């Protein structure tokens, strides 16, 4: 075997798992890890920003862009809802800073080898798996490992009853005037034109009095054109926020699947899928980073205990069932998405609601949250779901 573990892909999931496995566990041998990362080009993930929340300090705090303990949700009409989320903090992490921190730690630990390669096939072999790849120069690379963790995006989404997309475009901006409050995040600002199906909102992550990441986000069946995103952001920054003259210093975009499709976490006896391909994205919110960390911790703990390192489900069956109901209700128009989330943040303490969105609440808390949603449309949708077939994904 070339390594105990081969990890395909060096995005959030691949790097997080390599980082956890290399940290060492008392009384256990640290596994040798080979990290196969795509060369610069279309197969390598674009620069991006991840946001998540957690209580207290975390392993990636030295790389954070910013963090906050106050969140604000602005309904389409009426007063905004502002909440403190202690003991949680809402954290913003840039992919470049995350990669720099992880690569620095991996270099110091010396148990992870990193190789640029384009992976062609992964197949099971006696006692492990075999990865066939090629270097950027076209030299064939044949890797054998006891376990393989594959974070590459799927070629197509699995069959589902409902599939929407969270798609967004953001501007990192510098304003001439001190127009931002660096102490509070505008998590959802629904003073944006709403699409016929789904919802839209603005999202403001202030990093100073003059600087912020401002995004336009939709939950809808298909992404927009670049011209449409730019028009939406111009309207939001100029007409809604009234920010005045801005300089755009950088941009970011993303398309995240929000689907009730089941994601297989295993594609062979010794081959596992991690990250979005392994179901880490929360269907109702699009948040992924925190679930990736839970899976990485669980896999590392399994190695430490000498168990088979199967990634656990990123989200509980109860969470996935509730998400399926919400997605269907949004897709059918039975609930008004902007009104739904505005009322939820107004009626549920923000700290509890964030724990709910992260799947960390107890059953009685889930019921309490459910009772603060439009009960009859949600019950009708829940009754309808078991009769709906799962249809193959059709790319819009």
């Amino acid at each position: 075997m070339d390594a105990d573990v081969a990890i395909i892909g060096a995005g959030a999931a691949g790097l997080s798992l390599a980082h956890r496995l290399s940290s060492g566990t008392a009384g256990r041998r640290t596994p040798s890890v080979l990290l196969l990362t795509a060369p610069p080009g279309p197969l390598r993930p674009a620069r991006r920003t991840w946001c998540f929340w957690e209580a207290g300090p975390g392993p990636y705090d030295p790389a954070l862009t910013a963090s906050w303990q106050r969140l604000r949700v602005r309904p389409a009409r009426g007063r905004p809802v502002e909440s403190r989320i202690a003991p949680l903090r809402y954290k913003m992490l840039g992919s470049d800073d995350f990669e720099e921190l992880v690569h620095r730690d991996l270099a110091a630990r010396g148990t992870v080898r990193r190789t640029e390669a384009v992976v062609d096939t992964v197949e099971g072999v006696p006692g492990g798996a075999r990865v066939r790849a090629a270097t950027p120069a076209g030299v064939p690379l044949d890797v054998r490992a006891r376990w393989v963790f594959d974070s590459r995006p799927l070629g197509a989404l699995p069959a589902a009853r409902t599939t929407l997309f969270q798609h967004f475009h953001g501007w990192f901006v510098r304003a001439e005037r001190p127009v931002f409050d660096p102490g509070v995040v505008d998590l959802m600002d629904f003073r944006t034109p709403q699409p016929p199906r789904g919802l839209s909102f603005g999202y403001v992550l202030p990093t100073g009095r003059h600087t912020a990441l401002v995004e336009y986000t939709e939950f809808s069946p298909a992404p927009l054109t670049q011209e449409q995103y730019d028009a939406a952001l111009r309207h939001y920054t100029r007409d809604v926020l009234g920010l005045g003259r801005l300089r755009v210093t950088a941009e970011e975009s993303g398309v995240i699947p929000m689907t009730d499709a089941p994601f297989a976490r295993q594609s062979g006896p010794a081959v596992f899928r991690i990250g979005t391909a392994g179901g880490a994205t929360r269907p109702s919110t699009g948040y992924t980073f925190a679930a990736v960390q839970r899976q990485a911790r669980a896999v590392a703990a399994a190695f430490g205990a000498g168990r088979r390192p199967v990634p656990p489900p990123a989200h509980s069956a109860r969470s996935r069932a509730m998400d399926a109901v919400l997605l269907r209700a949004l897709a059918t128009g039975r609930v008004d998405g902007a009104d739904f989330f505005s009322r939820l943040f107004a009626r549920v303490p923000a700290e509890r609601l964030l724990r709910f969105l992260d799947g960390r609440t107890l059953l009685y808390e889930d019921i309490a949250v459910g009772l603060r949603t439009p009960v009859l449309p949600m019950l009708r949708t829940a009754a309808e779901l078991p009769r709906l077939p799962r249809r193959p994904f059709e790319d819009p």
Side-chain angles (χ1 to χ4, degrees):
M1 298 295 180
D2 292 300
D4 296 320
V5 175
I7 299 173
I8 303 173
L15 283 177
S16 296
L17 181 56
H19 196 243
R20 292 284 178 180
L21 290 175
S22 68
S23 63
T25 304
R28 294 284 181 181
R29 181 179 66 88
T30 301
S32 61
V33 178
L34 180 62
L35 181 62
L36 296 168
T37 178
L43 296 179
R44 181 173 288 189
R47 294 178 180 177
R48 63 191 65 192
T49 299
W50 298 300
C51 288
F52 58 99
W53 50 88
E54 62 184 349
Y60 305 121
D61 280 6
L64 293 179
T65 304
S67 68
W68 305 265
Q69 281 197 307
R70 289 161 52 209
L71 300 182
R72 183 164 53 210
V73 172
R74 295 182 180 272
R77 291 171 296 279
R79 300 180 60 182
V81 178
E82 186 173 318
S83 307
R84 291 191 175 273
I85 59 171
L88 301 177
R89 292 196 74 88
Y90 192 82
K91 300 183 177 184
M92 176 185 183
L93 178 63
S95 60
D96 284 357
D97 297 324
F98 169 74
E99 291 172 11
E100 182 181 351
L101 182 151
V102 171
H103 286 313
R104 185 171 63 244
D105 287 351
L106 296 183
R109 294 168 184 175
T111 58
V112 176
R113 290 174 291 155
R114 182 172 178 265
T115 300
E116 285 191 353
V118 176
V119 172
D120 183 24
T121 61
V122 182
E123 60 185 8
V125 297
R130 182 179 189 177
V131 181
R132 295 181 185 273
T135 69
V139 178
L141 188 65
D142 195 342
V143 176
R144 292 174 180 264
R146 178 66 187 92
W147 307 103
V148 173
F149 295 87
D150 191 349
S151 68
R152 292 174 299 169
L154 298 176
L157 293 175
R161 294 167 297 195
T162 310
T163 297
L164 296 176
F165 292 93
Q166 179 183 155
H167 51 97
F168 57 88
H169 187 70
W171 290 344
F172 291 85
V173 300
R174 175 172 288 278
E176 287 188 347
R177 298 180 290 111
V179 292
F180 299 110
D181 179 354
V184 59
V185 169
D186 278 302
L187 189 68
M188 289 179 159
D189 184 345
F190 293 110
R191 297 175 297 171
T192 53
Q194 296 300 308
R197 294 172 60 190
L199 69 152
S200 74
F201 56 90
Y203 180 41
V204 182
L205 296 165
T207 55
R209 296 290 295 170
H210 292 263
T211 56
L213 169 59
V214 183
E215 290 189 348
Y216 173 80
T217 301
E218 279 193 13
F219 296 179
S220 62
L224 306 180
T225 65
Q226 186 61 53
E227 292 75 16
Q228 289 172 315
Y229 287 122
D230 288 340
L233 274 168
R234 284 194 297 269
H235 169 73
Y236 182 59
T237 56
R238 181 189 60 203
D239 302 330
V240 177
L241 296 180
L243 299 181
R245 292 177 62 86
L246 298 174
R247 180 163 60 90
V248 178
T249 59
E251 300 182 47
E252 72 169 22
S253 298
V255 180
I256 302 170
M258 304 175 69
T259 175
D260 66 354
F263 286 79
R265 289 171 288 117
Q266 188 166 351
S267 56
V271 183
F272 307 106
R273 290 197 172 275
I274 56 174
T276 295
T281 299
R282 181 73 193 262
S284 63
T285 65
Y287 284 101
T288 304
F289 192 82
V292 161
Q293 303 311 310
R294 290 197 294 271
Q295 287 188 320
R297 286 195 298 267
V299 169
F303 270 101
R307 302 191 309 268
R308 192 163 178 265
V310 182
H315 307 287
S316 69
R318 190 166 79 238
S319 294
R320 295 196 303 272
M322 291 186 293
D323 286 352
V325 174
L326 176 57
L327 285 178
R328 189 69 185 175
L330 289 173
T332 58
R334 289 193 187 118
V335 300
D336 179 305
D339 182 68
F340 176 91
F341 283 105
S342 296
R343 289 177 179 270
L344 207 55
F345 274 91
R347 296 175 178 180
V348 180
E351 183 270 339
R352 176 185 292 181
L353 187 54
L354 290 181
R355 286 191 296 108
F356 171 80
L357 295 176
D358 214 16
R360 294 179 176 272
T361 42
L362 301 175
L363 177 60
Y364 81 91
E365 293 176 300
D366 291 347
I367 295 172
V369 171
L371 291 175
R372 286 159 177 78
T373 67
V375 175
L376 291 180
M378 299 296 274
L379 287 176
R380 178 186 171 190
T381 304
E384 173 191 69
L385 279 176
R387 304 192 301 272
L388 296 177
R390 296 189 182 274
R391 302 185 183 281
F393 172 71
E394 296 182 4
D395 193 332

